[in-house]
Amino acid sequence: MQEDWEDKTVIATDVTPATTSGRKRAQLIVLAGANVGEMYDLKGTLVIGRGREADIRVQGDGVSRKHVRLLTVSDGLMMEDLGSTNGTFVNGERVQTCILKDGDKIQVGTVTIFRFSYQDELDEDFQRQMFESASRDALTQVYNKRFFLEQLQSEFAYAARHSTELSLLMFDIDHFKLINDTHGHLAGDLVLSELTRIVMPAIRTEDIFARYGGEEFVILSRTTPPGASKVVAERVRKTIELHPFAHEGKRIPVTVSIGVGIMPNPKIQTPESLLAVADKALYDAKRAGRNRVVMAD
């Protein structure tokens, strides 16, 4: 133990200070509400609101379709409320227009709070890593269950309010336990990560693809009618069935069963009921022989 205290610090000759470009960018970071930790670069003129025409979409309660505008002026970044029903608050005070200062907290609606800040590259990298670690599944790198459930709440609220389509594909790997038992858990992990990699190109970039648990996955897709949802589900199923999964030179046959729930639907009145409908359709696909798509009634 005494020797540890007496060790001398090694003089390093190759230590260089971490540097950035020195340029700081204006950003909004979500502190509360959906997508906590997500960052938005502020360039030009941007509109925050719940409408699809908004540049930064917020689905929380009390948010107007076009809630607030952000625009660059000579003094910095100006924020202007666009006549929102419930107002815009900066550091707890309701404002119509103001020049934002570094660290200001902006509230739109009842639950969504942003922090305005100027960040350099190191700040951005750190913030992005924090968001990714909180929202992504470590093995597959798709979204995790917590993030998906948050998005389900906001997307369901929007679809219910505007009577638009919202589809939920729920699928899991057929006989996944047999894959683990036959080829080992490393092979099982490879199948999970490879499956997510090949499914991503088969869906839209705006769709929410998440690992729901174990070998079960979900895809949440807005404004997708029943016919299109079935096409997507079949594309995902076939992509997986035809892919040559292999571990240590041994081919691993992989198929999935998919259940699809779609709203509007009189049976679906809550996000939980949409999950239940898709889960039942998945169970029906399993019972009907697996490796198939079943659309909920």
Side-chain angles (χ1 to χ4, degrees):
M1 179 65 70
Q2 183 64 26
E3 292 179 355
D4 292 340
W5 286 99
E6 293 175 352
D7 283 347
K8 293 183 179 180
T9 301
V10 175
I11 299 175
T13 59
D14 58 349
V15 176
T16 57
T19 60
T20 67
S21 63
R23 178 174 56 89
K24 291 196 172 186
R25 293 189 294 190
Q27 291 189 327
L28 285 183
I29 302 171
V30 183
L31 296 182
N35 299 2
V36 171
E38 190 163 356
M39 298 183 300
Y40 299 96
D41 287 333
L42 304 180
K43 299 178 181 178
T45 301
L46 299 173
V47 172
I48 300 175
R50 62 176 171 82
R52 297 198 181 277
E53 65 274 20
D55 301 293
I56 300 176
R57 290 188 59 208
V58 177
Q59 297 298 332
D61 292 339
V63 181
S64 297
R65 292 180 62 84
K66 292 184 178 180
H67 198 103
V68 65
R69 178 189 293 122
L70 301 169
L71 62 156
T72 303
V73 295
S74 58
D75 295 337
L77 196 78
M78 186 175 80
M79 188 191 71
E80 176 188 12
D81 185 87
L82 297 176
S84 64
T85 303
N86 297 293
T88 303
F89 297 80
V90 176
N91 300 326
E93 295 185 6
R94 186 165 183 167
V95 298
Q96 180 59 41
T97 62
C98 71
I99 301 297
L100 293 173
K101 299 185 297 295
D102 196 356
D104 280 349
K105 294 179 177 61
I106 305 162
Q107 179 177 340
V108 295
T110 58
V111 298
T112 303
I113 299 175
F114 300 95
R115 185 182 73 222
F116 171 73
S117 66
Y118 292 99
Q119 300 202 81
D120 60 23
E121 293 171 4
L122 290 178
D123 294 330
E124 290 181 35
D125 288 343
F126 174 75
Q127 191 67 40
R128 189 171 293 106
Q129 289 172 17
M130 291 291 290
F131 175 69
E132 292 294 325
S133 64
S135 62
R136 297 280 180 178
D137 175 65
L139 174 63
T140 62
Q141 293 304 301
V142 297
Y143 290 119
N144 58 28
K145 183 177 180 178
R146 184 189 66 81
F147 181 87
F148 161 74
L149 291 176
E150 290 177 355
Q151 296 302 300
L152 176 62
Q153 293 287 334
S154 61
E155 291 294 340
F156 185 93
Y158 184 93
R161 185 185 301 116
H162 298 282
S163 298
T164 57
E165 291 96 350
L166 181 67
S167 66
L168 175 60
L169 282 64
M170 180 175 286
F171 66 93
D172 70 8
I173 300 173
D174 298 326
H175 302 299
F176 185 68
K177 184 178 183 300
L178 182 62
I179 293 175
N180 279 329
D181 291 346
T182 303
H183 302 277
H185 287 278
L186 288 179
D189 287 349
L190 179 144
V191 167
L192 291 171
S193 59
E194 186 77 359
L195 179 147
T196 56
R197 184 185 66 81
I198 64 173
V199 167
M200 288 299 294
I203 62 178
R204 303 179 304 180
T205 55
E206 64 265 33
D207 293 338
I208 298 166
F209 183 24
R211 186 180 181 187
Y212 196 68
E215 70 274 20
E216 192 169 29
F217 296 87
V218 286
I219 299 171
L220 189 63
S221 183
R222 63 174 75 104
T223 61
T224 307
S229 296
K230 186 170 185 180
V231 169
V232 172
E234 284 290 355
R235 185 191 306 138
V236 169
R237 184 197 65 78
K238 194 169 184 178
T239 296
I240 295 169
E241 181 184 27
L242 297 179
H243 185 75
F245 292 91
H247 178 67
E248 295 182 346
K250 295 181 180 179
R251 179 73 183 270
I252 305 175
V254 178
T255 61
V256 296
S257 300
I258 305 178
V260 183
I262 299 176
M263 59 179 297
N265 183 333
K267 294 182 180 179
I268 300 174
Q269 300 296 323
T270 64
E272 292 73 21
S273 59
L274 177 58
L275 278 168
V277 165
D279 185 61
K280 181 182 182 302
L282 170 59
Y283 175 78
D284 291 342
K286 292 284 191 184
R287 188 172 56 180
R290 296 181 169 84
N291 189 24
R292 67 193 61 227
V293 174
V294 170
M295 307 289 292
D297 294 336

